[in-house]
C-alpha cells in the first residue's frame, strides 16, 4: 500500500506560488487529481511538477503473452524494455498493486518511463521530480540510465 508522501502538497503549492509570482501560467494537480489519463493528456506545459512516489526495478515481474503459437500462455519477459521498470505511481496505483482491475474508463495509475515518453512535453522548460527513486533506472552498456529522467527528455522536456 502506498501512503501519501509527507510534505508534497505543501511543496507543490510552494512551487506553484513561486512560478505564479514570476507570471508563469500554472495548473496544480495534486492528490486524487493526479490521474494517469490527465498526466498523459498534458500538452506542452512550461513547467510540470510531479510530487509522487517513484519506482525502479520493481521486483514484481511483468508478464507478456507467449510469442510462439499465440496460445495465450504467459511467461516472464527476459527481453523486457528497461523503460517499463521505472516510473511513477499515480492515483489508482494502490488498486493496481493490490491486484484489482481499474474501471474501464481509467488507466492503472502506474506511469512507466516508457509511457512518459509519449507525453507531449515539447517546449517544457522545467520538470520537477519530487519523489523517491525518480533518478534511478537500468544502465545499458554505452547508454545513459534508462529511466524516468530520460523518458521526460525524450518526450521533449528541456
Amino acid at each position: 500500500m502506498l501512503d501519501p508522501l509527507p510534505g508534497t502538497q505543501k511543496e507543490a503549492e510552494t512551487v506553484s506560488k513561486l512560478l505564479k509570482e514570476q507570471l508563469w501560467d500554472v495548473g496544480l494537480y495534486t492528490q486524487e487529481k493526479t490521474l494517469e489519463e490527465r498526466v498523459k493528456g498534458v500538452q506542452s506545459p512550461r513547467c510540470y511538477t510531479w510530487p509522487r512516489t517513484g519506482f525502479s526495478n520493481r521486483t514484481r515481474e511483468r508478464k507478456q503473452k507467449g510469442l510462439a503459437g499465440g496460445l495465450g500462455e504467459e511467461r516472464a519477459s527476459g527481453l523486457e524494455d528497461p523503460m517499463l521498470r521505472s516510473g511513477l505511481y499515480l492515483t489508482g496505483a494502490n488498486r493496481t498493486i493490490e491486484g484489482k482491475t481499474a474501471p474501464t474508463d481509467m488507466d492503472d495509475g502506474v506511469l512507466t518511463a516508457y509511457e512518459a515518453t509519449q507525453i507531449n512535453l515539447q517546449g517544457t522548460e522545467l520538470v520537477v521530480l519530487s519523489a523517491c527513486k525518480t533518478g534511478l533506472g537500468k544502465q545499458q552498456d554505452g547508454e545513459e540510465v534508462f529511466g524516468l529522467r530520460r523518458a521526460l527528455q525524450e518526450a521533449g522536456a528541456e
Side-chain angles (χ1 to χ4, degrees), residues 32-108:
E32 71 281 346
K33 294 179 183 175
T34 56
L35 296 169
E36 186 177 355
E37 44 275 15
R38 179 173 280 152
V39 169
K40 289 179 177 177
V42 72
Q43 297 292 316
S44 301
R46 188 169 177 198
C47 173
Y48 211 50
T49 302
W50 281 334
R52 305 303 297 176
T53 300
F55 64 86
S56 179
N57 297 324
R58 293 179 290 165
T59 56
R60 184 186 75 183
E61 284 190 358
R62 298 176 69 92
K63 303 285 184 177
Q64 73 176 24
K65 295 285 183 191
L67 300 176
L71 300 174
E73 69 276 7
E74 291 189 340
R75 63 180 176 81
S77 172
L79 301 174
E80 182 179 274
D81 187 331
M83 297 290 273
L84 296 173
R85 293 195 155 283
S86 63
L88 293 174
Y89 290 123
L90 304 169
T91 300
N94 277 332
R95 177 186 56 240
T96 301
I97 291 168
E98 293 169 1
K100 299 174 185 172
T101 55
T104 55
D105 63 335
M106 292 182 73
D107 282 321
D108 63 6

Side-chain angles (χ1 to χ4, degrees), residues 104-123:
T104 55
D105 63 335
M106 292 182 73
D107 282 321
D108 63 6
V110 180
L111 181 76
T112 65
Y114 176 79
E115 290 172 312
T117 65
Q118 307 304 306
I119 298 171
N120 182 356
L121 297 179
Q122 295 298 317

Side-chain angles (χ1 to χ4, degrees), residues 54-57 82-83 85-87 113 129 131-139 145-150:
F55 64 86
S56 179
N57 297 324
M83 297 290 273
R85 293 195 155 283
S86 63
L129 293 174
C132 57
K133 301 183 182 178
T134 57
L136 303 177
K138 182 172 174 72
Q139 178 72 41
V145 174
F146 280 73
L148 192 56
R149 183 179 183 277
R150 178 185 175 123

